[in-house]
């Protein structure tokens, strides 16, 4: 496995593969990798000849009150994990390398679907994601890019961006990796106290209960209220519980496939999760 | 010369060239071609193995009071001209093909340098240009893209966009093509009455006079006032006369290379022109 820290170095590393028309797979990350990220690499490994993972903590997707400076940077440990699952190239550029050479004047906004859910609490966050992903796509020029379904809204934003701008890339969403008790894997789980870690799986349990209830015919709005109650009772402060279509349009009836979204805080840690629910006729 | 009207058809036409690692040159246009456009093709011909010209009247760069519906569409005549100067592929998609398949949520804004000069009179215009150029770049995936220096602000916006988003494309600005009397070639010249066509070269004459005056040591602000006076006397309604650095930063001293910009109306026709002036120590 190679590590490249400059755009030029990465291009030089990728050029032979590109000339040979090999299939390039790409996974953008902010590092501090867990099993969820490694699953993305395993998926990429199946489809692609060359797998590139970027590790870049992107300053422009953090809000002024967010934890850019304290975001965990664990490049050495991440590199060991990536080598084990068969990553070929790690791209770990500096902020200088990505943004430093001249003032950036360009912004990309994917409207409507970034205004609510996580976008409501994090103004500008998805603009920052759209810009960095576009830059990384243009630098790596992959055939496939892999994103976790855990950040479902982010995945939908990137699919929309790729479609709207005719980017020559196929975006693949990979199912959420979960701990045995159902908690969706996340870098943020490391912030949980032992006690809160015990409570955290209630999110997934409430989503699975909702799925059962919906298939049993219970009304969608009642099911959403139920989730909210369960979470509050368990000690969460709920940010949102919502149902959307797969492309994030609002939905208050379970008359097509839907996705249930939860964001809730336990202690100081904000957790998100979602569950795709098939509409069975 | 081939003509393609679908993205899929264009890809199929370009794939053999791409596989053979040939150099692809691209010139986006809105058609109604004149000698200025043909010069771009000639420049592309020198550097590239395959030359693609797109002809697409882009609805989203027209304001609500602008002439999208009446913009001249002369595909047959354009195709003859392009074949003569050695274009390989004309890409002439429908609006449906470029935008029709789903609602577009993505916008691209190149800030600051789009807020004034032509941006002031045409809010949203450069966003529309940035979006369509990004789409076309992703569809054609050229090595080089060629733009005329006549639309200097547009060229600067696209250079900034390419740099900010790390697009793997080199943007080349081609000098303004002029009529013998100095008038910058433009689709809009066709709207001029015989009388106004006589007056129109005053724009270029006033710019050349300004260059002489600056090199003779006259103050920049006086020179700008002089241009404005000459245009007004000749019968123009001046929109702006401004000096900028090559990257469009404001400049009120001639202490570095500058570009003089003019936009002025004669009758109902708005003409623009510019002149790059070297600072000689």
């Amino acid at each position: 496995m190679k590590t490249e820290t400059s755009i030029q170095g990465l291009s030089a590393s990728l050029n032979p593969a590109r000339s040979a028309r090999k299939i390039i797979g790409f996974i953008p990350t902010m590092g501090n990798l867990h099993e969820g990220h490694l699953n993305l690499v395993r998926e990429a490994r199946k489809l692609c000849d060359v797998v590139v993972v970027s590790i870049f903590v992107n300053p422009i997707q953090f809000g002024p009150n967010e934890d850019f400076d304290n975001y965990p940077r664990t490049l050495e440990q991440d590199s060991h994990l990536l080598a084990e699952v068969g990553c070929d190239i790690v791209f770990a550029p500096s902020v200088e390398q990505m943004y430093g050479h001249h003032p950036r004047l360009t912004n990309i906004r994917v409207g409507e679907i970034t205004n609510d859910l996580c976008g409501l609490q994090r103004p500008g966050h998805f603009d920052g994601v759209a810009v960095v992903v576009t830059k990384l796509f243009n630098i790596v020029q992959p055939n496939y890019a892999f994103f976790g379904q855990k950040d479902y809204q982010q995945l939908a934003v990137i699919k929309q961006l790729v479609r709207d701008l005719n980017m020559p890339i196929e975006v693949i969403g990979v199912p959420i990796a979960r701990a045995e008790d159902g908690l969706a894997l996340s870098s943020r789980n490391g912030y949980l106290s032992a006690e809160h870690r015990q409570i955290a799986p209630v999110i997934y349990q409430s989503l699975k209960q909702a799925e059962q209830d919906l298939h049993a015919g219970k009304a969608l709005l009642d099911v959403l209220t139920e989730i909210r109650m369960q979470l509050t009772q368990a000690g969460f402060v709920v940010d949102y519980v919502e149902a959307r279509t797969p492309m994030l349009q609002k939905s208050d009836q379970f008359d097509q496939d839907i996705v249930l979204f939860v964001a809730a805080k336990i202690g100081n840690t904000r957790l998100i999760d979602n569950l795709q629910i098939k509409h069975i006729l």
Side-chain angles (χ1 to χ4, degrees), chain A:
Chain A
M1 189 179 75
K2 270 189 190 174
T3 300
E4 299 290 353
T5 57
S6 73
I7 293 169
Q8 226 178 349
L10 180 72
S11 294
S13 273
L14 279 172
N15 270 343
R18 250 196 267 289
S19 294
R21 312 287 290 170
K22 294 214 167 146
I23 304 295
I24 298 171
F26 176 50
I27 299 144
T29 81
M30 299 214 300
N32 195 26
L33 304 180
H34 53 64
E35 231 9 73
H37 299 105
L38 302 181
N39 263 352
L40 300 181
V41 179
R42 291 184 193 105
E43 282 304 308
R45 199 65 282 170
K46 288 183 205 163
L47 272 176
C48 306
D49 302 312
V50 178
V51 176
V52 181
V53 175
S54 65
I55 295 182
F56 178 62
V57 184
N58 175 35
I60 70 167
Q61 74 188 68
F62 287 79
N65 302 315
E66 292 178 355
D67 48 359
F68 172 68
D69 287 331
N70 297 318
Y71 198 90
R73 284 144 172 105
T74 54
L75 182 59
E76 201 176 335
Q77 178 192 311
D78 293 343
S79 296
H80 285 302
L81 294 170
L82 289 173
E84 276 173 24
V85 288
C87 168
D88 297 299
I89 302 175
V90 177
F91 179 50
S94 63
V95 172
E96 177 73 20
Q97 184 66 209
M98 289 296 285
Y99 293 110
H101 301 296
H102 54 85
R104 177 178 63 91
L105 304 184
T106 304
N107 190 39
I108 303 176
R109 163 156 285 270
V110 181
E112 296 169 43
I113 61 172
T114 61
N115 294 340
D116 53 10
L117 298 174
C118 286
L120 201 63
Q121 295 274 333
R122 308 183 73 185
H125 168 70
F126 286 112
D127 293 13
V129 169
V131 168
V132 81
V133 166
T134 301
K135 285 167 75 74
L136 288 167
F137 281 0
N138 283 328
I139 292 166
V140 178
Q141 297 169 54
N143 303 87
Y144 296 94
F146 299 81
F147 292 84
Q149 287 173 356
K150 171 152 174 296
D151 295 313
Y152 190 99
Q153 189 177 11
Q154 172 179 278
L155 172 62
V157 166
I158 289 161
K159 280 184 173 169
Q160 184 78 38
L161 173 73
V162 164
R163 215 162 64 164
D164 282 348
L165 298 181
N166 301 86
M167 294 180 182
I169 292 170
E170 191 167 328
V171 174
I172 294 179
V174 177
I176 300 175
R178 297 184 180 279
E180 277 195 22
D181 58 12
L183 177 65
L185 298 188
S186 165
S187 300
R188 295 199 177 173
N189 296 352
Y191 300 145
L192 295 169
S193 69
E195 188 198 351
H196 290 154
R197 176 66 190 76
Q198 287 277 79
I199 298 168
V202 171
I203 298 179
Y204 184 59
Q205 287 155 18
S206 68
L207 287 170
K208 289 301 281 185
Q209 182 63 50
E211 183 180 39
Q212 271 189 28
D213 291 349
L214 285 169
H215 284 152
K218 203 165 182 174
L220 178 55
L221 294 178
D222 294 342
V223 167
L224 297 179
T225 307
E226 196 73 29
I227 296 174
R228 195 176 272 275
M229 274 174 49
Q230 283 183 49
L231 290 171
T232 307
Q233 275 167 19
F236 285 93
V237 176
V238 173
D239 178 5
Y240 59 75
V241 174
E242 289 208 40
R244 296 294 173 98
T245 69
M247 284 308 281
L248 296 186
Q249 302 307 302
K250 301 211 178 197
S251 171
D252 54 10
Q253 295 272 348
F254 181 48
D255 52 6
Q256 56 179 314
D257 293 355
I258 58 165
V259 188
L260 298 183
F261 290 93
V262 169
K265 254 185 156 178
I266 181 98
N268 288 318
T269 308
R270 185 173 178 275
L271 300 176
I272 63 171
D273 202 349
N274 67 79
L275 191 67
Q276 298 174 54
I277 300 180
K278 284 262 163 223
H279 186 250
I280 304 161
L281 284 176

